[in-house]
Every structure is written in structure tokens, then in C-alpha cells.
Amino acid sequence: EDQVTQSPEALRLQEGESSSLNCSYTVSGLRGLFWYRQDPGKGPEFLFTLYSAGEEKEKERLKATLTKKESFLHITAPKPEDSATYLCAVQSAQGGSEKLVFGKGTKLTVNP
Amino acid sequence: ETGVTQSPTHLIKTRGQQVTLRCSSQSGHNTVSWYQQALGQGPQFIFQYYREEENGRGNFPPRFSGLQFPNYSSELNVNALELDDSALYLCASSRDRVSYEQYFGPGTRLTVT
């Protein structure tokens, strides 16, 4: 069964204090690994897709990397507006449907 | 380009009742997936529709059912509501079955009392 584990569950940073969020996964044939940002009471907002080990993608202060067993979301010099829950999800090649299997998320709080 | 929209925003129902949630997919997308997100949890896959047919289902009982219409909008129906059905229901659309990027709507918050 496909599984995604995110750590830490919660992270508090001071503005400008860089850090990383971890997503470890087990999946039968990885089609893609996805990062989403979710604000309270809202739908997840798409950030990145990573398809193969060694791949990296960047967007503003965020950089996502992928290995064969985990992905990292690096946040450089975060600002208070980066506060949100960050969700990781994997898509398996099995089954034929394009379902996403999500982790529970990391709740990030950036203090000014 | 219009994003994914969902209605209603919030809904309060009584245990045993039935509910219908609606989703309009993003322009150009023909695949819709539904997810249930309990408080403090990640979204869980309910089912997916591709060109009006169910294309995969998660571990949800048959009282969760759906439809997709010719314009690719979709409905999620839940019968015999239980207290544990209280959650945020999310709809996501993608360009087609083999497109991996799913874009989510704002969700419908369902409360069952």
C-alpha cells in the first residue's frame, strides 16, 4: 500500500530562518511526487511536481528535491506569508486511476 | 482561465440525511477527483471521473457516489450521513487521465450533527 509520511508535524521559524520539510514515501512505481500549500479552510494550492530522483524545482523561496525514498521542501529566508500547511502527495503507476496519496502535512508558522 | 469552483461553501446536515456537493472543473480539464479531508489530516481519495465514467475508487462505502456531466462538471452524493462524514470535501481537476497535476477547488465544509 502506498504511504506518505511528513515530518515534522509542525515547525515554527523566525522570519529569515531557513529550514527543510521532509516527505518520505513508499509507492509501487512512482509516477510523480507533488507538493501543495494549504491555507486554513481552503483547498490545496499546487506548488511542484517531481518525477524522478535527482530532480529539483524552485519557486521564489521554495525549492523541492527528490530522492528514491524521500523529498525535501527547502524554505530559504521565509516570510510570515509563507505560514501554511505544506502537503506532500505521491501518484502511483498502479491501478489506472490518477489518485493522489497524501501525507498529513507540516504546519509551518513563520514569526516576524 | 477559470479555476475549479465548488458549491456550496458550507453545509450543515443531520445524521441520516443525504447531501449533494457540486464541482466545476477548470477550463480544458476532463478529469475530476474527489477527496475527503478530516481536520488535521491530509486529503483522502474518494473517487475519480474521466469522461463521465468512474475511473478508480478509494476505500469509501457505496453510500458515497458521484456523477460527471458532459461539460465535465461533477457531483458527489453522500447518503445516510454519519457524524464521521463531517469534513472538508475537495474537488480536483486535471487535463486528462494521464495528466498528473491536479488543481483543487476551495472545498465544501460539511458538518453533520
Side-chain angles (χ1 to χ4, degrees):
Chain A
E1 187 176 321
D2 302 339
Q3 283 193 327
V4 176
T5 303
Q6 292 188 245
S7 61
E9 290 186 8
L11 181 63
R12 285 187 175 273
L13 300 173
Q14 288 299 122
E15 185 171 2
E17 179 187 2
S18 302
S19 189
S20 294
L21 314 182
N22 177 262
C23 169
S24 59
Y25 63 90
T26 54
V27 64
S28 302
L30 179 70
R31 260 192 172 163
L33 184 140
F34 304 81
W35 283 98
Y36 287 85
R37 169 195 169 125
Q38 186 173 30
D39 293 304
K42 297 191 176 180
E45 174 190 344
F46 173 79
L47 294 174
F48 303 110
T49 310
L50 301 167
Y51 295 107
S52 57
E55 190 174 358
E56 298 182 353
K57 287 194 177 171
E58 288 188 64
K59 179 180 179 180
E60 296 181 356
R61 295 176 293 281
L62 301 176
K63 178 180 176 181
T65 62
L66 181 65
T67 72
K68 288 187 178 179
K69 293 187 176 180
E70 57 191 350
S71 176
F72 293 94
L73 184 65
H74 307 278
I75 303 177
T76 303
K79 298 182 178 182
E81 53 262 41
D82 294 323
S83 297
T85 294
Y86 290 85
L87 294 166
C88 172
V90 295
Q91 195 168 50
S92 168
Q94 279 197 343
S97 82
E98 309 305 322
K99 75 171 185 178
L100 297 176
V101 175
F102 281 87
K104 292 184 178 181
T106 293
K107 183 176 181 180
L108 174 67
T109 304
V110 182
N111 296 314
Chain B
E1 187 178 77
T2 307
V4 179
T5 60
Q6 292 185 244
S7 63
T9 305
H10 296 90
L11 203 52
I12 299 174
K13 289 285 189 178
T14 303
R15 190 172 52 182
Q17 286 188 316
Q18 177 264 345
V19 69
T20 297
L21 310 182
R22 294 178 174 84
C23 169
S24 292
S25 61
Q26 186 166 318
S27 176
H29 289 188
N30 61 20
T31 302
V32 172
S33 302
W34 286 92
Y35 294 82
Q36 180 195 65
Q37 187 176 25
L39 206 59
Q41 303 294 314
Q44 282 202 302
F45 177 73
I46 303 175
F47 43 55
Q48 182 184 81
Y49 279 85
Y50 168 68
R51 293 190 174 182
E52 302 178 58
E53 292 198 359
E54 188 177 290
N55 179 49
R57 188 179 183 93
N59 295 326
F60 282 82
R63 60 189 185 84
F64 285 78
S65 63
L67 282 173
Q68 188 180 32
F69 300 100
N71 67 354
Y72 305 126
S73 66
S74 177
E75 285 183 357
L76 164 65
N77 299 290
V78 187
N79 294 322
L81 283 167
E82 300 177 0
L83 296 179
D84 285 349
D85 295 333
S86 296
L88 182 67
Y89 287 85
L90 296 163
C91 167
S93 75
S94 52
R95 192 167 298 279
D96 55 43
R97 279 185 63 190
V98 296
S99 171
Y100 310 142
E101 295 176 3
Q102 297 185 13
Y103 294 87
F104 284 82
T108 294
R109 171 69 64 187
L110 172 64
T111 302
V112 182
T113 62

Coordinates of all heavy atoms in Angstrom, one line a residue, chain B residues 1-42:
Chain B
E1 N -8.5 32.0 -17.7 CA -8.8 30.6 -17.4 C -9.5 30.5 -16.0 O -8.9 31.0 -15.1 CB -7.5 29.9 -17.4 CG -7.7 28.3 -17.3 CD -6.3 27.6 -17.3 OE1 -5.6 27.6 -16.3 OE2 -6.0 27.1 -18.4
T2 N -10.7 29.9 -16.0 CA -11.4 29.8 -14.8 C -10.9 28.6 -14.0 O -10.7 27.5 -14.5 CB -12.9 29.5 -15.1 OG1 -13.3 30.6 -16.0 CG2 -13.7 29.6 -13.8
G3 N -10.7 28.8 -12.7 CA -10.2 27.7 -11.8 C -11.4 26.8 -11.4 O -12.5 26.9 -11.8
V4 N -11.0 25.8 -10.5 CA -12.0 24.9 -10.0 C -12.9 25.6 -9.0 O -12.4 26.3 -8.1 CB -11.3 23.7 -9.4 CG1 -12.4 22.7 -8.8 CG2 -10.4 23.0 -10.3
T5 N -14.2 25.4 -9.2 CA -15.2 26.0 -8.3 C -16.0 24.9 -7.6 O -16.3 23.9 -8.2 CB -16.1 27.0 -8.9 OG1 -16.8 26.4 -10.0 CG2 -15.3 28.2 -9.5
Q6 N -16.4 25.2 -6.4 CA -17.3 24.2 -5.7 C -18.4 24.9 -5.0 O -18.3 26.1 -4.6 CB -16.4 23.5 -4.6 CG -15.4 22.5 -5.2 CD -14.7 21.7 -4.1 OE1 -13.5 21.9 -3.9 NE2 -15.4 20.9 -3.4
S7 N -19.5 24.2 -4.8 CA -20.7 24.8 -4.1 C -21.4 23.6 -3.4 O -21.4 22.5 -3.8 CB -21.6 25.5 -5.1 OG -22.2 24.6 -6.0
P8 N -22.0 24.0 -2.2 CA -21.9 25.2 -1.5 C -20.6 25.3 -0.8 O -19.8 24.4 -0.8 CB -23.1 25.1 -0.5 CG -23.2 23.7 -0.2 CD -22.8 23.0 -1.5
T9 N -20.3 26.4 -0.1 CA -19.1 26.6 0.6 C -19.2 25.9 2.0 O -18.2 25.3 2.4 CB -18.9 28.1 0.9 OG1 -18.9 28.8 -0.3 CG2 -17.6 28.4 1.6
H10 N -20.3 26.0 2.6 CA -20.6 25.4 3.9 C -21.9 24.7 3.9 O -22.8 25.2 3.2 CB -20.6 26.4 5.1 CG -19.2 27.0 5.3 ND1 -18.9 28.2 4.7 CD2 -18.2 26.7 6.0 CE1 -17.7 28.6 5.0 NE2 -17.2 27.7 5.9
L11 N -22.1 23.7 4.7 CA -23.3 22.9 4.7 C -23.5 22.2 6.1 O -22.5 21.6 6.5 CB -23.3 21.9 3.6 CG -24.6 21.3 3.0 CD1 -25.5 22.4 2.6 CD2 -24.2 20.4 1.8
I12 N -24.7 22.3 6.6 CA -24.9 21.6 7.9 C -26.1 20.7 7.6 O -27.1 21.1 7.2 CB -25.2 22.6 9.0 CG1 -24.1 23.6 9.3 CG2 -25.6 21.8 10.3 CD1 -24.3 24.6 10.3
K13 N -25.9 19.4 8.0 CA -26.9 18.4 7.8 C -27.0 17.6 9.1 O -26.2 17.6 9.9 CB -26.5 17.4 6.6 CG -26.5 18.1 5.2 CD -28.0 18.2 4.8 CE -28.1 18.6 3.4 NZ -29.5 18.7 2.9
T14 N -28.1 16.8 9.1 CA -28.4 16.0 10.2 C -28.1 14.5 9.9 O -28.3 14.1 8.7 CB -29.9 16.1 10.7 OG1 -30.2 17.5 10.9 CG2 -30.2 15.3 11.9
R15 N -27.6 13.8 10.9 CA -27.3 12.4 10.7 C -28.5 11.7 10.0 O -29.7 11.9 10.4 CB -27.0 11.7 12.0 CG -26.5 10.3 11.9 CD -26.0 9.9 13.3 NE -27.1 10.0 14.3 CZ -26.9 9.7 15.6 NH1 -25.8 9.3 16.0 NH2 -27.9 9.9 16.4
G16 N -28.2 10.8 9.0 CA -29.2 10.1 8.2 C -29.7 10.8 7.0 O -30.3 10.2 6.1
Q17 N -29.4 12.1 6.9 CA -29.8 12.8 5.7 C -28.9 12.5 4.5 O -27.9 11.8 4.6 CB -29.8 14.3 5.9 CG -31.0 14.8 6.8 CD -31.1 16.3 6.9 OE1 -30.1 17.0 7.1 NE2 -32.3 16.9 6.8
Q18 N -29.3 13.1 3.3 CA -28.5 12.9 2.1 C -28.0 14.3 1.7 O -28.6 15.3 2.0 CB -29.4 12.3 1.0 CG -28.7 12.2 -0.3 CD -28.9 13.3 -1.3 OE1 -29.8 14.1 -1.1 NE2 -28.1 13.5 -2.3
V19 N -26.8 14.4 1.0 CA -26.2 15.6 0.6 C -25.6 15.5 -0.8 O -25.2 14.4 -1.2 CB -25.2 16.1 1.6 CG1 -23.9 15.2 1.5 CG2 -24.8 17.6 1.3
T20 N -25.7 16.6 -1.6 CA -25.1 16.6 -2.9 C -24.2 17.8 -2.9 O -24.6 19.0 -2.6 CB -26.2 16.8 -4.0 OG1 -27.0 15.6 -4.0 CG2 -25.5 16.9 -5.4
L21 N -22.9 17.6 -3.3 CA -21.9 18.6 -3.5 C -21.6 18.8 -4.9 O -21.5 17.7 -5.7 CB -20.7 18.3 -2.7 CG -20.9 17.9 -1.2 CD1 -19.5 17.6 -0.5 CD2 -21.7 18.9 -0.4
R22 N -21.3 20.0 -5.4 CA -21.0 20.2 -6.8 C -19.7 20.8 -7.1 O -19.1 21.5 -6.2 CB -22.1 21.1 -7.3 CG -23.5 20.5 -7.3 CD -24.6 21.4 -7.8 NE -25.9 20.6 -7.9 CZ -26.7 20.4 -6.8 NH1 -26.4 20.9 -5.7 NH2 -27.8 19.7 -7.0
C23 N -19.2 20.5 -8.3 CA -17.8 20.9 -8.6 C -17.8 21.3 -10.1 O -18.3 20.5 -11.0 CB -16.8 19.8 -8.4 SG -15.2 20.1 -9.0
S24 N -17.2 22.4 -10.5 CA -17.0 22.7 -11.9 C -15.5 22.7 -12.1 O -14.7 23.3 -11.4 CB -17.5 24.1 -12.2 OG -18.9 24.2 -12.1
S25 N -15.1 21.9 -13.1 CA -13.7 21.7 -13.3 C -13.1 22.9 -14.0 O -13.8 23.8 -14.6 CB -13.5 20.5 -14.2 OG -14.1 20.6 -15.5
Q26 N -11.8 23.0 -14.0 CA -11.0 24.1 -14.6 C -11.2 23.9 -16.1 O -11.3 22.8 -16.7 CB -9.6 24.0 -14.2 CG -8.7 25.2 -14.7 CD -7.4 25.2 -14.1 OE1 -7.3 25.0 -12.9 NE2 -6.3 25.4 -14.8
S27 N -11.3 25.1 -16.8 CA -11.4 25.1 -18.2 C -10.4 24.2 -18.9 O -9.2 24.3 -18.6 CB -11.3 26.6 -18.7 OG -11.4 26.6 -20.1
G28 N -10.8 23.3 -19.8 CA -9.9 22.5 -20.5 C -9.6 21.2 -19.9 O -8.8 20.4 -20.4
H29 N -10.1 21.0 -18.7 CA -9.9 19.7 -17.9 C -11.1 18.8 -18.0 O -12.2 19.2 -17.9 CB -9.7 20.0 -16.4 CG -8.4 20.7 -16.2 ND1 -7.9 20.9 -14.9 CD2 -7.4 21.2 -17.0 CE1 -6.7 21.6 -14.9 NE2 -6.4 21.7 -16.2
N30 N -10.8 17.5 -18.2 CA -11.9 16.5 -18.4 C -11.9 15.4 -17.3 O -12.7 14.5 -17.4 CB -11.8 15.8 -19.8 CG -10.5 15.0 -20.0 OD1 -9.8 14.7 -19.0 ND2 -10.2 14.7 -21.2
T31 N -11.0 15.6 -16.3 CA -11.0 14.6 -15.2 C -11.2 15.3 -13.9 O -10.6 16.3 -13.6 CB -9.6 13.9 -15.2 OG1 -9.4 13.2 -16.5 CG2 -9.5 12.8 -14.2
V32 N -12.1 14.7 -13.1 CA -12.4 15.2 -11.8 C -12.2 14.2 -10.7 O -12.6 13.0 -10.9 CB -13.8 15.8 -11.7 CG1 -14.2 16.2 -10.3 CG2 -14.0 16.9 -12.6
S33 N -11.5 14.5 -9.6 CA -11.3 13.6 -8.5 C -11.9 14.3 -7.2 O -11.8 15.5 -7.1 CB -9.8 13.4 -8.3 OG -9.2 12.8 -9.4
W34 N -12.4 13.5 -6.4 CA -13.0 14.0 -5.1 C -12.2 13.4 -3.9 O -11.7 12.2 -3.9 CB -14.4 13.5 -4.9 CG -15.4 14.3 -5.8 CD1 -15.8 13.9 -7.1 CD2 -16.1 15.5 -5.5 NE1 -16.7 14.8 -7.5 CE2 -16.9 15.8 -6.6 CE3 -16.1 16.3 -4.3 CZ2 -17.7 16.9 -6.6 CZ3 -16.9 17.4 -4.4 CH2 -17.7 17.7 -5.5
Y35 N -11.9 14.3 -2.9 CA -11.2 13.9 -1.7 C -12.0 14.4 -0.5 O -12.7 15.4 -0.5 CB -9.8 14.6 -1.7 CG -8.9 14.1 -2.8 CD1 -9.0 14.6 -4.1 CD2 -7.9 13.1 -2.6 CE1 -8.1 14.2 -5.1 CE2 -7.0 12.7 -3.6 CZ -7.2 13.2 -4.8 OH -6.3 12.8 -5.8
Q36 N -11.8 13.6 0.6 CA -12.3 14.0 1.9 C -11.1 14.3 2.8 O -10.2 13.6 2.9 CB -13.1 12.8 2.5 CG -13.7 13.1 3.9 CD -14.1 11.9 4.6 OE1 -13.3 11.0 5.0 NE2 -15.4 11.7 4.8
Q37 N -11.2 15.5 3.4 CA -10.1 15.9 4.4 C -10.7 16.2 5.7 O -11.4 17.2 6.0 CB -9.4 17.1 3.8 CG -8.2 17.5 4.7 CD -7.4 18.7 4.1 OE1 -7.9 19.5 3.4 NE2 -6.1 18.7 4.4
A38 N -10.4 15.3 6.7 CA -10.8 15.5 8.1 C -9.8 16.5 8.7 O -8.7 16.7 8.2 CB -10.8 14.1 8.8
L39 N -10.2 17.0 9.8 CA -9.4 18.1 10.5 C -8.1 17.5 10.9 O -8.0 16.4 11.5 CB -10.2 18.6 11.7 CG -9.9 20.0 12.2 CD1 -10.2 21.0 11.1 CD2 -10.7 20.3 13.4
G40 N -7.0 18.2 10.5 CA -5.7 17.8 10.9 C -5.1 16.6 10.1 O -4.0 16.1 10.4
Q41 N -5.8 16.2 9.0 CA -5.4 15.1 8.2 C -5.1 15.6 6.8 O -5.6 16.6 6.3 CB -6.4 14.0 8.2 CG -6.8 13.5 9.5 CD -5.7 12.7 10.2 OE1 -5.0 11.9 9.6 NE2 -5.4 13.1 11.5
G42 N -4.4 14.7 6.0 CA -4.3 15.0 4.6 C -5.6 14.5 3.8 O -6.3 13.7 4.3

